[in-house]
Amino acid sequence: MDIRERNEKLRIIHQDGGEQENILEILIDLQFASEEGYIDEETAALVAQELHMTETRVYEIVSYYAMLKEKPQAKFVLKVCNSSPCHFSRSEEVILSLEKKLGVPIGKTTDDGLFAYHYIPCVGACDIGPVVKIKDTVFGSLDDDKISSLIDDLRNGEVVV
Ligand code: FES
């Protein structure tokens, strides 16, 4: 992981004091922030180091909770902002469009392993909501047609993120 990524993970780990008792919330936030929607080895090691725990204990927690993943969820994890401005610009319709297009509910991965999607908080692009973030790229002003095209383009390699 590069310095910027490491610093962002440290910020998440310490945002509520860096206490062991908050490890579940910390791991969920780290997973939401990750590119492929899972807790990788480096991240688990960083959590263990910062919270003064063993890596084994961190992995026990990751494997105990179904919402936490030890492997990539999908090649493309679409993160749908649901903070208030995007919510009012119909982020729920984005979720419905994704469910219709991909044929899997929120939090599940398509059979081909290409797509998964879930909600995240504000990504700082409120003026173009509703938005989806994929890795470092934000797609805004989305509607049913644009979402359908975006999925097709990602699948065909016509949009690179
Ligand atoms: S509320 Fe969605 S980007 Fe800010």
Side-chain angles (χ1 to χ4, degrees), residues 81 83-86 122-126 131:
C81 171
S83 291
S84 293
C86 277
C122 181
V123 298
C126 321
V131 306

Side-chain angles (χ1 to χ4, degrees), residues 42-74:
E42 273 186 304
T43 302
L46 188 63
V47 170
Q49 174 192 303
E50 295 299 311
L51 300 188
H52 310 292
M53 306 168 71
T54 64
E55 285 181 46
T56 303
R57 180 70 188 125
V58 174
Y59 266 113
E60 281 174 359
I61 293 167
V62 172
S63 57
Y64 181 79
Y65 290 97
M67 72 186 76
L68 296 171
K69 310 292 180 194
E70 295 174 69
K71 296 182 180 155
Q73 285 184 56

